[in-house]
Amino acid sequence: MNLVEQEHDAKKDHINEIVLSEDVQRAIEQVLQSSDPLDQPDFNPTDYINQLFPNEQSLSNIDEVIAKMECDISLIDDNIRSVVRGQVNTGENGRVALKEAQQSLTQLFSLITDIKSRAEKTEDAVKEITRDIKQLDSAKNNLTYAITTLNHLHMLVGGVENLKRLSERRQYGEVLNPLQAIIEVNQHFQQYSEIAQIQTLSAQVQQIQSELATQITDDFKNFFSPTSHSNANRMTLTQLKDACQVASVLDKPVKKNILKWFINLQLQEYVQLFHENQDIAWLDKIDKRYAWVKRHLLDFEEKYGTVFPPDWEVSERITVQFCTITREELAKIVARRRTEIDVKLLLFAIQKTANFEQLLDKRFNGTTLVEATSEEVRPERGSFSNLIGSCFKPYLDIYTDSIDRELTALIEQFAQANQQMVVPKEINPGILPNCADLFVFYKKCMVQCMQLSNEKPMYDLVLLFKKYLREYAAKVLEARIPKPQPPNTTTSSISSSMSLLTKDFQNLSTAAGQVIHNFLKEGETPRFSSEDMRKICYILATAEYCLETVQQLEDKLKEKIDKQYVAKVDLSDEKDVYHRIISNCIQLLVHDLDAACEQSLLLMTKIAWHSISNVGDQSGFVNQIITNLKQTVPVIRDNLANSRKYYTQFCHKFVNSFIPKYINTLYRLRPTSSGSSSASGTAALVASASSSSLSEGGANSGAASGGNILGCEQLLLDTHSLKTVLMDLPSIGSQVQRKPPASYTKVVVKGMAKAEMIIKVVMQPVHPASLYIEQYLKLMPESSVVEFHKILEMKNVRKIEQQQLVEAYKRACPQLQQQPPTTLATAGSQAVGTESGNSTQQSNEPPTLGGNSTQSQQIAAAAAAISGAGSSIMALGDSLMDKGRIKKIENLIKNRLPN
């Protein structure tokens, strides 16, 4: 029972539910424009009640809500009653209005029917009135057409007789107008061709035209025949002119045949005179062909220029036929006698032909070329260009072969003249003169080839340009790059150095300095002379000019060559060759300056830094480096004044090479003396012999466990001096000071800052270890375990302490645990071995030192120990350096050196 009631209620709700379409709903919304939830189409009673009573507390005002609802319901009921009452009267009014509308439609239909019947009666009356007029109008048209046809027939009949009479008398001036009229009338009567009389008249007209064509052709041949001068029936020029007008009216083949015969007649003499068997037909006399046709055209226009109508273009047709015959004859002659052609003869013929074709372009408009030539021969409509010259295109390889031979001789000439290359004495010598000569020759060849052809010959010329650009780079530029020359000095042997060391034992510093100077002489590497450096700069500037000009050459070739070859024009390989020469020159200059500085860095390793007793001016090796820079860099800068970007590259590459070498040299030094380290036998002997100097140390004496770090202070001073010099390197020795590029300054500041940080780290005390590692990480945050080993070696830290410090450093830098484990001994030996190996490779020491490295190291150690013995004893009491002394040395640097 419950299910039945639920189904009944569901049906009842479905019946009471009103569903409106979207259009109706939008119309209601436009009219009502209500925001009340009860008026919304998607109204949901449950949601509405939940909104009014969201909780149990809101039920307290349910009576007010119900009262408000009842009030709204009563208002709606009143509105509904008003609308219903109003609809009762509205229905009655609608019925009355509908009835009135129906009556109006009935009256309108009757009126329309009456008007239609009256219009039909009026139309019948008009037709009756105009019936006679139409008949008269049709009779008039027929009469007019009949009269016109009779007149045409009369003209045709009378004109045929008249034309026969006039043509027999050769009165072509009087024939012209009747002939044009009869031809037009005959075309009018073609629609009546089935009438026998009309067929007869048309046949007579055709016969007259045929007879006139034959008669005029015979008259032309009779007039221009060589044997017609004594003929009494020969026409006059006036009759000939009228005959040409008549021929223009006749069929086209008549005019075409006359012109063909006449043009062949005009060129008959030319064909015989310049037959291929005649000597005058060869290429060396090709200008006589063109001279003949010029004279002939002048003679023709003087005699018969007024005879032929202007639209016949007889002079142009003669010229076109002359070009066609000339092209064919030249093609046969050149093919038969190809072996006799040299480049001068070929260029002569092509040039004369091109000049003649240009003259024809100026003289004629080229209207007859369309029907006289083919597209293969004439690439451009209306132009005489290549109308004759196309016969030379298959033989342009003769020209490119000659260019190949000329360029070969030119490069050989440049190479031989360049064997004794002398750089001009000017500060900025510019470029090699033969370089400009080469590109002037290239330009001449390109312009010349453009006049010949811009297709395959031009592409062959591009390949030649590429070949000889590489030849010039190899045989002229690269072949003359100077090679370093060994210094012409007499060096002392190691034995003489040892004897000097033992002989002058009393003056230890002088002896040690002389020994080091002798070692440096033995290790000098080949250097460039000032003239060689100027040659390198000379070649570099020339290669730069070539590089820029090759780019311009490539652009111009792509502009001039035919479109099908543009993608094949590529000189990038040749530009790479000149890029390589420039890079090689810069690298040679950098290597030369590097070699000069390596001697100073070698001197730096011979100084006993741990024995320095006081900090003074910058060291000798710094002065030597500055001297080398002032001797070398100004020469390079002055000779690269017009290649400023490559001079900047030179400075960049030099500091990028020098600064790492300087840092590697620092790692090889031992600038501190630790109290815990055991002294060598020689140092102990000297210390005991000079014990009295310990008391003279005064403030420099300290605890036995301290160390001397004055060497670090001196190194810091020297490093700052080098940094200042390198910052001013681009303008060194110049009266005009320029600010160096920002990129260059960044490289110098970063590299030399690392060197300063290394020295400051070495100056720090290693105890306590945690504080030392903390300071190390602050000063060198991007360091590695290998560098940490090197710095501990610089501080002369014992192996056991090194192992402990390395472990502490690894614990402070967990990211280093990913690196492969390295023991202290192997890491230290690898670091030292790597640095010494790099130094040996970069400094390019001669085999006399490298072959006896053990003996050289022993002598260097002895010299360092002896020269610094006194200062080492005085510095044994120094305490470890603290931050206050670092600040002191920085102030000393600022006071002594300019920023």
Side-chain angles (χ1 to χ4, degrees):
M1 188 64 183
N2 293 333
L3 295 174
V4 174
E5 291 178 354
Q6 290 177 358
E7 292 178 359
H8 178 71
D9 293 338
K11 292 180 179 180
K12 183 178 180 181
D13 294 339
H14 178 70
I15 294 172
N16 293 334
E17 183 180 359
I18 299 175
V19 180
L20 301 177
S21 64
E22 294 182 358
D23 296 336
V24 175
Q25 189 64 44
R26 283 196 296 269
I28 293 173
E29 290 176 356
Q30 292 177 359
V31 174
L32 296 179
Q33 295 182 353
S34 173
S35 60
D36 193 346
L38 295 173
D39 295 332
Q40 301 301 320
D42 56 349
F43 174 73
N44 191 331
T46 304
D47 295 339
Y48 182 69
I49 294 172
N50 290 332
Q51 183 179 359
L52 292 176
F53 306 105
N55 48 43
E56 294 181 1
Q57 289 79 9
S58 61
L59 294 175
S60 58
N61 60 347
I62 190 171
D63 296 332
E64 298 177 0
V65 175
I66 292 174
K68 184 177 180 300
M69 291 291 182
E70 290 176 350
C71 181
D72 293 339
I73 291 171
S74 63
L75 290 175
I76 293 172
D77 290 341
D78 292 339
N79 293 333
I80 291 173
R81 282 193 293 271
S82 298
V83 172
V84 170
R85 290 174 184 150
Q87 288 297 324
V88 173
N89 297 329
T90 301
E92 185 63 27
N93 294 335
R95 285 191 293 273
V96 173
L98 179 61
K99 187 174 180 181
E100 291 177 356
Q102 290 175 349
Q103 292 176 356
S104 298
L105 288 173
T106 302
Q107 294 175 1
L108 179 62
F109 180 74
S110 62
L111 289 174
I112 292 173
T113 304
D114 185 41
I115 291 171
K116 181 179 179 183
S117 61
R118 291 181 181 181
E120 290 176 352
K121 292 179 180 179
T122 303
E123 183 180 2
D124 294 338
V126 170
K127 287 182 179 180
E128 186 68 24
I129 294 171
T130 59
R131 182 179 301 166
D132 296 336
I133 297 175
K134 287 182 178 181
Q135 291 178 355
L136 291 174
D137 185 60
S138 176
K140 176 186 175 182
N141 292 335
N142 292 333
L143 182 61
T144 302
Y145 185 75
I147 293 172
T148 303
T149 304
L150 288 174
N151 287 334
H152 287 169
L153 183 60
H154 180 266
M155 290 173 58
L156 183 61
V157 173
V160 168
E161 297 296 331
N162 189 26
L163 280 177
K164 287 182 179 179
R165 184 173 61 255
L166 293 175
S167 60
E168 290 176 356
R169 299 176 182 176
R170 286 181 168 78
Q171 297 177 347
Y172 297 119
E174 299 177 6
V175 167
L176 181 62
N177 291 331
L179 178 62
Q180 290 177 333
I182 288 175
I183 292 175
E184 293 178 1
V185 171
N186 189 38
Q187 292 293 332
H188 175 73
F189 280 105
Q190 290 301 317
Q191 56 184 329
Y192 306 110
S193 58
E194 67 277 1
I195 301 174
Q197 291 81 358
I198 299 298
Q199 290 180 358
T200 303
L201 290 174
S202 296
Q204 291 178 358
V205 171
Q206 294 293 336
Q207 184 179 1
I208 291 173
Q209 291 182 1
S210 177
E211 291 176 354
L212 278 174
T214 303
Q215 183 174 313
I216 291 173
T217 303
D218 293 339
D219 289 341
F220 262 89
K221 293 180 179 179
N222 186 36
F223 181 85
F224 290 103
S225 175
T227 59
S228 63
H229 297 289
S230 60
N231 192 349
N233 295 327
R234 187 169 179 265
M235 291 194 305
T236 64
L237 291 178
T238 303
Q239 289 178 319
L240 194 63
K241 183 178 180 180
D242 295 336
C244 291
Q245 298 290 341
V246 174
S248 298
V249 177
L250 297 175
D251 294 337
K252 288 184 179 181
V254 178
K255 169 186 170 183
K256 184 176 180 181
N257 292 333
I258 292 174
L259 286 174
K260 183 179 180 181
W261 173 84
F262 180 75
I263 292 172
N264 290 333
L265 178 65
Q266 295 298 311
L267 295 176
Q268 185 176 2
E269 178 186 355
Y270 170 75
V271 174
Q272 295 176 356
L273 183 63
F274 291 91
H275 191 268
E276 60 178 325
N277 295 328
Q278 301 295 327
D279 292 338
I280 197 175
W282 187 228
L283 298 181
D284 58 345
K285 299 180 180 61
I286 194 171
D287 53 335
K288 295 186 180 298
R289 294 175 178 267
Y290 308 137
W292 181 91
V293 75
K294 291 176 187 177
R295 291 194 305 269
H296 187 77
L297 287 176
L298 290 175
D299 183 58
F300 164 76
E301 290 178 355
E302 182 179 355
K303 291 182 179 179
Y304 309 113
T306 59
V307 173
F308 296 95
D311 60 320
W312 281 30
E313 298 287 353
V314 179
S315 296
E316 182 176 327
R317 292 179 186 275
I318 293 173
T319 305
V320 172
Q321 184 65 17
F322 166 82
C323 294
T324 304
I325 295 173
T326 303
R327 183 184 65 249
E328 294 173 354
E329 291 296 321
L330 288 176
K332 290 190 293 184
I333 294 173
V334 172
R336 185 166 56 87
R337 303 175 63 177
R338 177 188 175 94
T339 56
E340 303 178 29
I341 303 175
D342 58 8
V343 66
K344 292 183 179 180
L345 181 61
L346 180 64
L347 292 180
F348 171 78
I350 292 175
Q351 187 62 46
K352 292 296 182 180
T353 303
N355 294 339
F356 177 69
E357 290 171 347
Q358 292 175 5
L359 179 64
L360 296 182
D361 278 330
K362 295 177 182 179
R363 171 64 178 81
F364 302 111
N365 55 21
T367 54
T368 62
L369 287 173
V370 178
E371 58 188 58
T373 58
S374 61
E375 288 291 339
E376 291 76 9
V377 177
R378 179 184 43 80
E380 184 179 353
R381 288 181 180 273
S383 175
F384 284 87
S385 178
N386 286 326
L387 192 58
I388 301 175
S390 59
C391 67
F392 299 115
K393 285 186 177 181
Y395 309 97
L396 288 178
D397 57 327
I398 298 174
Y399 168 74
T400 53
D401 291 343
S402 70
I403 296 298
D404 191 3
R405 292 190 296 271
E406 290 184 31
L407 282 172
T408 301
L410 192 64
I411 295 298
E412 292 298 329
Q413 177 184 348
F414 291 164
Q416 292 177 4
N418 208 38
Q419 290 179 358
Q420 297 178 350
M421 183 177 64
V422 178
V423 183
K425 296 181 179 180
E426 296 85 5
I427 293 179
N428 184 18
I431 64 171
L432 284 170
N434 54 31
C435 175
D437 295 340
L438 176 67
F439 285 106
V440 168
F441 184 80
Y442 273 17
K443 181 179 179 181
K444 172 188 171 184
C445 294
M446 185 172 63
V447 172
Q448 197 173 49
C449 190
M450 272 298 301
Q451 298 174 353
L452 304 179
S453 174
N454 67 336
E455 296 177 354
K456 189 175 185 305
M458 178 69 82
Y459 179 66
D460 294 338
L461 191 65
V462 171
L463 298 180
L464 290 178
F465 286 173
K466 289 167 62 69
K467 172 184 175 182
Y468 288 100
L469 283 172
R470 294 191 295 269
E471 291 279 337
Y472 181 83
K475 294 183 178 180
V476 179
L477 296 184
E478 290 181 336
R480 302 315 304 162
I481 296 178
K483 302 296 186 295
Q485 299 297 328
N488 189 15
T489 58
T490 304
T491 59
S492 302
S493 63
I494 296 178
S495 59
S496 62
S497 300
M498 286 300 297
S499 64
L500 177 62
L501 179 64
T502 55
K503 181 180 179 180
D504 198 5
F505 191 77
Q506 294 178 353
N507 193 350
L508 296 178
S509 60
T510 304
Q514 185 63 33
V515 170
I516 294 172
H517 181 69
N518 291 337
F519 285 162
L520 290 180
K521 280 190 173 182
E522 290 181 6
E524 285 184 358
T525 55
R527 290 290 311 281
F528 288 121
S529 63
S530 178
E531 185 66 20
D532 288 340
M533 287 190 291
R534 297 186 72 232
K535 283 184 179 180
I536 293 175
C537 295
Y538 198 30
I539 293 173
L540 190 151
T542 304
E544 181 188 12
Y545 172 80
C546 291
L547 184 62
E548 295 173 355
T549 312
V550 166
Q551 181 61 52
Q552 298 172 7
L553 177 66
E554 182 179 5
D555 297 339
K556 185 61 68 175
L557 287 171
K558 288 183 177 180
E559 177 185 344
K560 298 297 184 182
I561 202 168
D562 190 73
K563 293 181 180 179
Q564 60 179 327
Y565 295 100
V566 171
K568 298 180 180 180
V569 177
D570 184 13
L571 303 183
S572 57
D573 293 340
E574 288 66 36
K575 288 184 283 188
D576 291 341
V577 169
Y578 290 102
H579 272 300
R580 186 180 69 248
I581 293 176
I582 293 172
S583 178
N584 187 23
C585 290
I586 294 175
Q587 194 61 39
L588 286 175
L589 295 173
V590 170
H591 180 75
D592 179 73
L593 187 55
D594 242 353
C597 294
E598 282 178 0
Q599 302 302 320
S600 303
L601 296 179
L602 183 60
L603 174 61
M604 181 180 173
T605 61
K606 306 302 180 182
I607 299 175
W609 295 97
H610 62 279
S611 303
I612 291 178
S613 59
N614 61 336
V615 179
D617 291 335
Q618 59 194 23
S619 302
F621 80 92
V622 177
N623 295 328
Q624 192 174 4
I625 290 175
I626 295 174
T627 302
N628 288 326
L629 294 179
K630 288 184 177 180
Q631 290 176 351
T632 304
V633 174
V635 177
I636 298 173
R637 181 182 60 245
D638 294 340
N639 286 273
L640 292 180
N642 292 337
S643 304
R644 192 71 188 176
K645 62 179 180 180
Y646 294 117
Y647 172 68
T648 304
Q649 284 187 22
F650 161 76
C651 295
H652 267 280
K653 289 187 177 182
F654 171 70
V655 295
N656 280 323
S657 174
F658 173 76
I659 293 177
K661 289 182 180 180
Y662 180 73
I663 292 176
N664 289 336
T665 306
L666 284 179
Y667 284 137
R668 298 170 60 191
L669 303 181
R670 302 295 179 263
T672 63
S673 61
S674 177
S676 59
S677 301
S678 61
S680 63
T682 306
L685 178 61
V686 175
S688 61
S690 306
S691 60
S692 60
S693 63
L694 183 60
S695 60
E696 297 176 359
N700 291 334
S701 61
S705 61
N708 179 19
I709 59 171
L710 291 177
C712 293
E713 295 179 357
Q714 183 64 44
L715 276 174
L716 197 59
L717 178 66
D718 296 338
T719 301
H720 188 80
S721 301
L722 281 177
K723 178 181 177 182
T724 305
V725 172
L726 292 178
M727 289 291 289
D728 297 334
L729 179 66
S731 301
I732 191 170
S734 175
Q735 297 178 356
V736 180
Q737 296 294 321
R738 291 185 179 180
K739 186 178 180 180
S743 58
Y744 173 81
T745 304
K746 182 178 179 181
V747 172
V748 175
V749 170
K750 183 178 179 181
M752 297 307 292
K754 181 177 180 181
E756 291 176 345
M757 292 302 105
I758 291 172
I759 299 172
K760 290 182 179 181
V761 168
V762 174
M763 294 169 67
Q764 298 291 331
V766 295
H767 300 291
S770 59
L771 180 61
Y772 176 72
I773 292 174
E774 180 181 355
Q775 293 296 326
Y776 180 87
L777 293 175
K778 287 181 180 179
L779 295 175
M780 300 183 66
E782 299 180 357
S783 181
S784 63
V785 177
V786 176
E787 289 183 336
F788 189 67
H789 274 297
K790 296 177 182 179
I791 291 173
L792 293 179
E793 290 289 340
M794 291 177 68
K795 292 180 65 64
N796 283 321
V797 179
R798 292 180 298 178
K799 299 297 183 181
I800 298 176
E801 295 181 359
Q802 285 188 29
Q803 184 65 37
Q804 296 173 355
L805 289 170
V806 168
E807 294 298 330
Y809 176 73
K810 289 182 178 180
R811 288 194 297 270
C813 301
Q815 66 272 16
L816 297 177
Q817 299 299 327
Q818 299 177 1
Q819 298 180 358
T822 306
T823 62
L824 177 62
T826 56
S829 61
Q830 287 175 1
V832 174
T834 303
E835 293 302 324
S836 61
N838 292 339
S839 176
T840 303
Q841 182 180 0
Q842 294 170 357
S843 61
N844 296 325
E845 294 182 359
T848 55
L849 288 180
N852 198 2
S853 60
T854 305
Q855 182 180 1
S856 300
Q857 291 174 2
Q858 292 175 356
I859 295 172
I866 295 173
S867 63
S871 58
S872 298
I873 296 171
M874 294 172 64
L876 289 176
D878 287 354
S879 61
L880 294 175
M881 177 60 69
D882 55 7
K883 295 182 180 179
R885 298 199 62 184
I886 295 177
K887 188 69 175 178
K888 181 179 177 182
I889 191 64
E890 290 177 348
N891 293 332
L892 179 62
I893 292 171
K894 292 179 180 178
N895 293 332
R896 288 177 178 271
L897 297 174
N899 291 327

